[in-house]
Amino acid sequence: SAVISQKPSRDICQRGTSLTIQCQVDSQVTMMFWYRQQPGQSLTLIATANQGSEATYESGFVIDKFPISRPNLTFSTLTVSNMSPEDSSIYLCSVELASGSRDEQFFGPGTRLTVL
Amino acid sequence: KQEVTQIPAALSVPEGENLVLNCSFTDSAIYNLQWFRQDPGKGLTSLLLIQSSQREQTSGRLNASLDKSSGRSTLYIAASQPGDSATYLCAVSGDSWGKLQFGAGTQVVVTP
């Protein structure tokens, strides 16, 4: 398994500001993922972040709004830019670990964001 | 486009009863299926991973089956305990690149 930490664990932000969320993994991984979980909803994939290349965004998510960095194989950041109350969600990072033919995903504890 | 559905949306059982949680998916061409547990306001804990070639996986009181042809998976939790109260999510991956499509979850309450 993998131990994943996220900072901050929660934050309350003002409309129009930006927040950068950090994700740290205890082992080197190729792929990291960022998900959003809006209140009462399930998880939706925002983007896939591979080291050394630009992040790949899912439909409905754009780089200007959710810029992502992946400077090395154990760390990634997600920025939520120009926030509005609709951005209030839990943001989770995850990693995929391969063991033989098994590709299992592990998640961080999440960052609970409230935008006023 | 893959769609994942979980039924029921919520479930309340007395302690000791067995739990049966259902997950269905529309595209049977999956790479694997994973069951997670989420406690309120927390991240996800991986419970079981079933590869597309497998029919079931077991871990302690948990057993998950997979019928790929019919697009269904079932999570069984034997002899439920109050500590099993959580939301259970199933997610499918269409390829080896890791992108997961999640169901909406089943919220479980086990009463003492």
Side-chain angles (χ1 to χ4, degrees), chain B residues 38-54:
Chain B
Q38 185 175 31
D39 293 285
K42 306 289 187 181
L44 276 64
T45 301
S46 177
L47 296 175
L48 290 168
L49 168 71
I50 311 177
Q51 296 293 113
S52 62
S53 59
Q54 296 176 317

Side-chain angles (χ1 to χ4, degrees), chain A residues 10 31 33 35 37 40-45 48 58 90 92 96 101-110 112, chain B residues 31-32 34 36 38 40-44 46 48-49 51 54 57 89 96-100 102-105:
Chain A
R10 57 176 60 222
M31 289 190 283
F33 306 89
Y35 288 83
Q37 186 175 30
Q41 305 292 316
S42 192
L43 280 76
T44 301
L45 181 64
T48 303
E58 297 300 304
I90 299 175
L92 301 106
E96 183 177 81
S101 61
R102 290 167 54 87
D103 298 315
E104 190 169 358
Q105 280 209 21
F106 299 92
F107 281 77
R112 180 181 289 272
Chain B
Y31 182 72
N32 62 35
Q34 206 165 341
F36 295 90
Q38 185 175 31
K42 306 289 187 181
L44 276 64
S46 177
L48 290 168
L49 168 71
Q51 296 293 113
Q54 296 176 317
Q57 277 288 324
L89 298 160
S96 62
W97 298 106
K99 289 164 45 172
L100 291 178
F102 279 85

